[in-house]
Amino acid sequence: MKRLPPAIIDFHVHLFPDKGFDAIWKYFAAMGAEVLHKLYSGPCIDYLRAHGVKRIVYSNYAHKAGIAAPMNDWNIDLLARHDRLYCFAAFHPDDDHGLEDAARMLDHPRVMGIKLHFQVQKIYPHDPRLFPLYELVMEKNKRLLLHVGNGPTTNPFVGLEQFLPVLGRYPDLPANIPHMGCYEFQAFMALLDTYPHLYLDTAYTFWPETPFSFNLDTVCLEKYKDRILYGSDFPNVILPRQGEIDHLLSLDLSQEFYDGVFYANGMALLHETCP
């Protein structure tokens, strides 16, 4: 029986100010999907710690102009109050001083990089306004968390077709792609052969028998076991968090897969970006 490593790194947690969580959970409810774990940031961190997560990498995003800077002030305060906590900070290209704020955040020792949620922000990944941000992130040896896949819902701003122009311009882009690139699993996994600094995370895609479940065979998971990170999407999940972990274990992959995906791969990226 395969086992989890003694310590887990969760590379896809959402932490927001309380009002932000309230708005997100209200949106989920309006869509007919009730969030199971309605935990604000402090209780959320405590819950994950109690369930074996030793290091938490969280993110938040600015859905409109004017809120990235105050969100990032909140991020700095949260990081000061919790150790072993790391952040992908917020950014919006319409902010007058957005790039300066991003540089401020990237200089923080426990900020891994910047999160962009193209689906929510309604920005194309190849929008030229983002090119200075990509270059700044690379200059500072940090990373991007890019929700560029077209799942679990889609719109014109996401999908592989929208992402390829970015990789054409920046083939060394250091980016994590959440949700295994859902729904274009095969296409996003194939990118790992060509682009050495891309990683995928598992969030929201390993509950069995759901429309957004990872649907490729386990051979590809073993092939790319060094480029996959465990992420839970916690607390904004509509099914039990443990269900994804149990399903991953039930696939009976190599112990090296579980050790890497749940800990070693993430630890290596933390050493690179937040030494």
Side-chain angles (χ1 to χ4, degrees):
M1 179 65 180
K2 302 303 190 300
R3 54 168 178 77
L4 296 179
I8 295 174
I9 301 176
D10 191 332
F11 246 81
H12 195 123
V13 174
H14 291 285
L15 298 178
F16 285 88
D18 293 359
K19 288 183 178 179
F21 267 138
D22 289 341
I24 291 166
W25 298 336
K26 183 178 179 180
Y27 173 80
F28 269 72
M31 299 295 289
E34 198 68 30
V35 171
L36 291 186
H37 305 274
K38 292 181 179 176
L39 297 172
Y40 293 130
S41 294
C44 178
I45 292 167
D46 293 341
Y47 180 98
L48 292 173
R49 299 270 196 242
H51 287 77
V53 180
K54 301 303 181 185
R55 286 176 170 80
I56 296 168
V57 182
Y58 79 92
S59 67
N60 41 52
Y61 47 84
H63 68 283
K64 62 181 180 181
I67 64 172
M71 183 89 72
N72 286 332
D73 289 339
W74 182 87
N75 286 329
I76 289 174
D77 179 66
L78 189 69
L79 291 169
R81 290 187 281 113
H82 297 274
D83 63 355
R84 293 172 291 137
L85 184 68
Y86 304 84
C87 176
F88 280 97
F91 176 84
H92 199 285
D94 289 337
D95 288 342
D96 291 339
H97 303 287
L99 205 60
E100 291 90 335
D101 186 57
R104 168 183 74 116
M105 295 304 294
L106 293 171
D107 285 337
H108 191 286
R110 282 192 284 127
V111 170
M112 285 204 72
I114 300 294
K115 164 73 176 279
L116 293 169
H117 198 317
F118 302 110
Q119 187 184 83
V120 173
Q121 294 178 290
K122 294 182 171 56
I123 304 164
Y124 289 105
H126 50 76
D127 188 321
R129 296 175 300 163
L130 298 175
F131 295 165
L133 175 71
Y134 298 156
E135 292 162 12
L136 177 67
V137 167
M138 290 188 283
E139 175 191 328
K140 291 186 175 289
N141 196 35
K142 299 284 188 169
R143 297 190 64 79
L144 295 153
L145 178 59
L146 303 179
H147 187 127
V148 71
N150 56 17
T153 59
T154 190
N155 65 20
F157 299 95
V158 292
L160 183 71
E161 183 179 355
Q162 304 298 349
F163 189 41
L164 287 176
V166 180
L167 294 176
R169 184 181 180 94
Y170 301 110
D172 292 323
L173 193 75
N176 298 354
I177 309 301
H179 317 302
M180 303 294 288
C182 178
Y183 292 96
E184 297 172 282
F185 296 118
Q186 183 67 64
F188 273 92
M189 293 201 87
L191 294 178
L192 303 181
D193 291 324
T194 305
Y195 302 101
H197 301 293
L198 293 185
Y199 281 70
L200 305 178
D201 82 36
T202 66
Y204 227 79
T205 51
F206 281 93
W207 284 298
E209 300 178 5
T210 62
F212 39 82
S213 288
F214 184 80
N215 56 14
L216 306 181
D217 62 42
T218 57
V219 173
C220 63
L221 294 175
E222 288 285 3
K223 177 181 179 181
Y224 297 112
K225 62 180 179 289
D226 296 333
R227 305 280 292 283
I228 299 171
L229 305 162
Y230 167 68
S232 67
D233 227 4
F234 198 79
N236 294 336
V237 292
I238 61 173
L239 292 167
R241 167 186 170 272
Q242 187 63 35
E244 283 197 294
I245 295 174
D246 291 343
H247 181 60
L248 279 164
L249 288 171
S250 77
L251 298 177
D252 198 29
L253 298 160
S254 67
Q255 189 59 52
E256 290 78 12
F257 174 88
Y258 296 110
D259 290 343
V261 169
F262 281 91
Y263 185 77
N265 300 345
M267 202 67 200
L269 287 186
L270 286 175
H271 281 310
E272 286 180 18
T273 56
C274 300

